[in-house]
Amino acid sequence: MADPYQNNVYHQGGGDSYGTYGEGGGPDGYGYQTDYPPQEEDAASDATEGHDEEDQMYEGEYQGIPHPDEVKAAQRAARAKARATGSAVSELEELSEQYEDIMEDCGHGKFQWTLFIVLGLALMADGVECFVVAFVLPSAEKDLCLSNAEKGMLGLMVFLSMMVGAFLWGGLADKVGRRRCLVVALAINCVFTFLSSFAQGYGFFLFFRLLSGIGIGGTVPIVYAYFSEFLQMDKRGEHLSWLCMFWMIGGIYASFTAWGIIPRYGWGFSMGTEFQFHSWRVFVLVAALPAIASLVGLTFMPESPRFLLENAKHDEAWMILKQVHDTNWRAKGQPEKVFTVTHIKAPKTAEDEFIEIQSATGTAVQRWAVRSLTLCKLVLKNVASLLSAEFRLATLFMAIIWFCMAFSFYGLSVWFPDMIKHLQNEEYVSKVKIHHRERVENFHFNFSLENQIHREGEYIHDKFISIELKSVKFEDSLFEDCRFEDIRSTETVFKNCTIRFTVFYNTDLREENFIDCRMENTTFEHNKHGCHLDTLEENDVLIYLVSFLGSLAVLPGNIISALFMEKIGRVKIIGGSMLISAGCTFLLFLSFTQAAIIALQCLFCGVSAAAWNGIEVVTVELYPASKRATAFGLLNALCKLAAVLGSSIFASFVGITKAIPILLSFAALVCGGLVALRLPDTREKVLQ
């Protein structure tokens, strides 16, 4: 196969598996121009005009504090000295140190902040996806006539599809490219989110949400791997933590837009009886806006130069690094600074990594099939390498931490709102009105009945016209010569009743509403088909308020972790936050009111946010560039599996006992926190 870089000049020593890109350079294969090109006297930046050298003196000089530039220069000198010793530094470490030097020269500025916003929107889209089904389900279950089993399957599919997406796109990002995979993943999410908003049947809606979840599932592993490779060592922990804040913004965005759109039933249209587009479908479309915005922004962003260097695409990597350097220094008012890198060492690509059919008779389909099969093998080989002797312990520790944290966090995230609903239901049931042995004759019911039980009643020649029956139960009652017309019902039951000479016209009462009833000369005419939206009950503002407060409570944890990630260290933040969260769970034994549960949810979410930030930063730093997205995708997929288990187990104990969910979450958090304290400190570690 022809070498695409055959026109470039490479210098390669015997036995060295790294090629040298460019001409000239020092003994370590990493060259800088010794001096900047000569500048004209009046070519100085406008930003420095009118300032003399004394104005620019470093404030800490009088206090004996070294200048940050001096610290970086000392670190760079130490790394160069280590490289000069030869055998003490591996080739991978040498490349990593060289790349760190380049990123320090490029600085942190306009380019990173632009990428921060673009990737933040992608992370925000992931946060929104976790809330969409929960918000639309109360309306969608009526619009799509969903049973309890179908509702459970829809909620389950969200996490299962995101689990598949995290594993798939994380593995591909290390072989195909961070930016390319992220663009395709977001495009899939946008397309199938759009289609799901128009799906009229449960099957199509479930299928489209499944594919949408597979797309958005790839954002988290790719975003962190992608952004980390544009950050220098002393900025990495802090700015990756700031990036985590966009997940919280996604939750707030979803809560606000759901509250503002879903209860507005006039925001929709219909085409006959077959096609209905209600307000909850509008919300599904609006929820896709962060993904669309990120997709547009990514069209202006380059590929990760570290990924390109890993795949021997030296020219492209050099041009992107120069773009980063020039963008940052131009924005800082120093356009005269020149990108001084003249050559970069990078690994050579194995010639047998991508197999192509060389035969002239091979078709395009055959070549595509071989490439796809080879790519799958490479991805699986990369996944298997995470269990090699070099990474086995780190992968095991991180798997335990991710699983324990997700099991508790997502389990309690479901348990909190379910407990609030349970308390609301208990309060509602306590206010039920019981009517015993009432006799009503020749009466016209033109008002709705709600939360009532009628026992051994007699209703003779009565009319129930254009009313709603909400949580009404008739037991051992007699209906004779009555008429039910234009009736809408919710949780209404006739049990062991006798119904004679009665007409049900245009009602939604079906066979399942009548339990052990005796009917004589009773007719059902023009029954309502399908389901209907309940405009009164299904969209309690508390649903949105609880999600909003839970998302907002993450803000303090995000800020604290970002400010102290470099000072305290990732390990202490993860371990400390998980152990504090474990302590918070015991306070749930004292929660007997809705307000107490909401307050404890906010406390738990705030502390957990710091742990999540530390976990994500450490995951990025523990693995080399060739395995970073794969490892993150595998661990994030495990996280989604733990979320499914946690939410299912915790929800099953709502209304039965609080002890088991509390003890399970406590045990998981303590286990994860103690394991986290055994992790290596990666603060001063050059990104491999």
Side-chain angles (χ1 to χ4, degrees):
M1 187 168 59
D3 184 1
Y5 301 104
Q6 60 184 353
N7 294 326
N8 294 325
V9 180
Y10 297 87
H11 303 286
Q12 183 175 341
D16 188 3
S17 63
Y18 279 70
T20 305
Y21 169 67
E23 300 183 12
D28 57 359
Y30 177 69
Y32 285 90
Q33 295 178 6
T34 54
D35 295 302
Y36 288 112
Q39 302 284 340
E40 298 293 336
E41 288 186 2
D42 33 346
S45 169
D46 294 337
T48 61
E49 213 172 286
H51 295 271
D52 53 28
E53 292 182 1
E54 293 180 1
D55 292 335
Q56 305 298 323
M57 187 170 290
Y58 173 55
E59 294 179 1
E61 183 176 342
Y62 297 108
Q63 305 171 20
I65 302 174
H67 193 282
D69 290 342
E70 296 176 3
V71 175
K72 290 181 181 179
Q75 292 174 342
R76 179 178 293 181
R79 292 197 293 266
K81 184 177 180 180
R83 286 199 299 271
T85 60
S87 59
V89 180
S90 68
E91 293 169 343
L92 178 60
E93 290 172 339
E94 184 178 358
L95 171 62
S96 303
E97 290 165 0
Q98 291 176 355
Y99 190 80
E100 177 66 26
D101 291 344
I102 296 174
M103 293 313 302
E104 287 179 0
D105 282 346
C106 291
H108 188 94
K110 180 181 177 181
F111 181 89
Q112 280 85 357
W113 285 113
T114 304
L115 185 63
F116 175 81
I117 298 297
V118 172
L119 297 182
L121 288 169
L123 200 58
M124 180 179 169
D126 180 86
V128 171
E129 186 76 12
C130 293
F131 290 93
V132 168
V133 170
F135 286 147
V136 304
L137 202 54
S139 296
E141 69 171 307
K142 296 292 184 179
D143 201 10
L144 301 175
C145 302
L146 303 182
S147 64
N148 289 332
E150 289 172 334
K151 287 190 294 182
M153 179 60 69
L154 188 58
L156 181 66
M157 275 300 144
V158 173
F159 286 106
L160 290 179
S161 61
M162 293 175 75
M163 178 181 73
V164 173
F167 180 81
L168 173 66
W169 296 113
L172 288 175
D174 279 333
K175 296 300 177 184
V176 179
R178 280 82 160 106
R179 177 185 172 276
R180 181 186 297 180
C181 285
L182 187 56
V183 167
V184 175
L186 287 173
I188 290 174
N189 172 253
C190 293
V191 169
F192 288 104
T193 295
F194 176 80
L195 293 176
S196 71
S197 68
F198 289 92
Q200 297 297 299
Y202 169 73
F204 279 113
F205 185 75
L206 179 67
F207 177 70
F208 291 144
R209 293 310 304 181
L210 174 67
L211 295 179
S212 170
I214 290 175
I216 202 65
T219 56
V220 172
I222 298 176
V223 160
Y224 284 101
Y226 189 11
F227 191 53
S228 67
E229 291 168 354
F230 285 96
L231 297 174
Q232 57 201 65
M233 183 171 61
D234 60 340
K235 301 285 186 181
R236 196 168 58 231
E238 177 185 351
H239 288 273
L240 285 174
S241 298
W242 289 125
L243 187 66
C244 297
M245 194 176 295
F246 278 93
W247 201 92
M248 171 207 71
I249 297 173
I252 294 175
Y253 172 81
S255 303
F256 261 115
T257 53
W259 175 76
I261 294 174
I262 294 178
R264 274 62 176 176
Y265 292 94
W267 292 17
F269 62 91
S270 61
M271 298 174 63
T273 58
E274 298 298 324
F275 185 86
Q276 305 288 330
F277 196 89
H278 294 293
S279 56
W280 68 268
R281 299 178 182 274
V282 178
F283 166 69
V284 172
L285 288 177
V286 173
L289 291 180
I292 295 172
S294 179
L295 188 59
V296 172
L298 280 170
T299 60
F300 301 97
M301 293 291 108
E303 179 58 85
S304 164
R306 183 58 191 271
F307 167 79
L308 295 173
L309 289 173
E310 289 285 335
N311 290 273
K313 297 182 179 179
H314 313 83
D315 290 346
E316 296 176 47
W318 188 89
M319 291 298 295
I320 291 169
L321 290 169
K322 184 178 186 302
Q323 175 191 350
V324 174
H325 177 278
D326 294 348
T327 300
N328 286 342
W329 288 110
R330 202 176 293 122
K332 293 177 181 179
Q334 300 183 52
E336 69 277 4
K337 280 214 169 189
V338 178
F339 186 56
T340 56
V341 177
T342 57
H343 49 86
I344 309 171
K345 276 194 173 183
K348 296 184 298 181
T349 304
E351 293 181 356
D352 59 345
E353 279 199 345
F354 291 96
I355 303 172
E356 294 189 15
I357 297 178
Q358 299 297 330
S359 172
T361 60
T363 65
V365 174
Q366 287 177 312
R367 290 193 294 270
W368 175 84
V370 170
R371 290 193 191 101
S372 300
L373 181 61
T374 304
L375 185 59
C376 290
K377 290 180 179 178
L378 291 172
V379 170
L380 293 176
K381 182 180 178 181
N382 215 20
V383 172
S385 68
L386 298 177
L387 300 177
S388 63
E390 183 180 0
F391 301 107
R392 185 182 301 135
L393 195 60
T395 302
L396 176 62
F397 281 4
M398 292 308 301
I400 294 173
I401 295 168
W402 273 89
F403 186 90
C404 291
M405 189 66 207
F407 180 82
S408 299
F409 180 81
Y410 287 103
L412 288 177
S413 295
V414 170
W415 187 82
F416 283 127
D418 282 356
M419 273 300 296
I420 292 172
K421 290 179 183 178
H422 175 70
L423 293 176
Q424 285 180 321
N425 186 59
E426 283 187 337
E427 183 181 359
Y428 185 76
V429 171
S430 68
K431 296 178 180 179
V432 65
K433 296 177 182 179
I434 301 177
H435 301 270
H436 191 67
R437 292 187 177 179
E438 63 179 356
R439 180 181 174 88
V440 182
E441 192 170 353
N442 295 316
F443 187 78
H444 184 186
F445 288 88
N446 57 2
F447 51 87
S448 295
L449 306 179
E450 180 179 358
N451 199 21
Q452 299 178 9
I453 298 177
H454 298 263
R455 292 176 179 155
E456 300 181 15
E458 294 183 3
Y459 304 90
I460 314 297
H461 307 301
D462 294 327
K463 294 181 179 180
F464 300 80
I465 308 294
S466 300
I467 65 172
E468 181 178 3
L469 303 177
K470 184 177 180 182
S471 299
V472 179
K473 189 174 185 180
F474 295 98
E475 295 181 348
D476 303 310
S477 298
L478 170 66
F479 294 85
E480 187 170 322
D481 197 19
C482 295
R483 183 176 181 86
F484 291 80
E485 184 175 337
D486 293 329
I487 302 297
R488 293 179 62 184
S489 65
T490 303
E491 298 180 4
T492 295
V493 174
F494 295 79
K495 185 176 181 181
N496 200 29
C497 294
T498 301
I499 304 174
R500 301 173 182 164
F501 305 102
T502 297
V503 176
F504 292 87
Y505 183 87
N506 193 30
T507 71
D508 59 5
L509 297 171
R510 299 180 178 85
E511 184 178 351
E512 57 266 24
N513 298 102
F514 300 92
I515 303 173
D516 299 326
C517 292
R518 295 173 297 279
M519 296 189 181
E520 301 175 9
N521 295 319
T522 297
T523 59
F524 292 82
E525 301 176 3
H526 299 286
N527 264 18
K528 294 180 179 179
H529 296 287
C531 304
H532 61 271
L533 286 173
D534 191 326
T535 59
L536 298 178
E537 178 192 28
E538 310 301 346
N539 294 290
D540 190 343
V541 69
L542 192 62
I543 298 174
Y544 311 118
L545 179 62
V546 170
S547 298
F548 168 74
L549 292 177
S551 299
L552 189 62
V554 173
L555 181 61
N558 267 320
I559 294 175
I560 292 172
S561 63
L563 295 178
F564 292 96
M565 189 67 71
E566 300 294 346
K567 298 177 182 178
I568 297 178
R570 294 87 158 106
V571 173
K572 292 180 180 178
I573 284 181
I574 299 171
S577 299
M578 292 186 75
L579 294 175
I580 293 172
S581 298
C584 293
T585 59
F586 265 97
L587 296 176
L588 293 172
F589 281 115
L590 306 176
S591 59
F592 301 103
T593 64
Q594 297 178 38
I597 291 177
I598 293 174
L600 288 173
Q601 179 192 19
C602 293
L603 178 62
F604 177 77
C605 290
V607 177
S608 298
W612 277 122
N613 290 5
I615 289 170
E616 285 154 351
V617 172
V618 168
T619 303
V620 164
E621 295 174 335
L622 279 177
Y623 297 94
S626 60
K627 297 173 175 57
R628 185 169 297 126
T630 300
F632 209 122
L634 178 65
L635 294 169
N636 195 249
L638 183 65
C639 164
K640 296 301 187 290
L641 177 62
V644 171
L645 295 175
S647 57
S648 301
I649 293 172
F650 282 41
S652 64
F653 289 102
V654 172
I656 299 175
T657 178
K658 291 194 293 186
I660 293 179
I662 292 173
L663 292 176
L664 284 175
S665 60
F666 175 81
L669 288 168
V670 169
C671 176
L674 294 177
V675 171
L677 295 176
R678 301 295 303 274
L679 290 172
D681 190 356
T682 55
R683 269 183 294 180
E684 302 296 327
K685 181 180 179 181
V686 173
L687 201 64
Q688 292 184 351

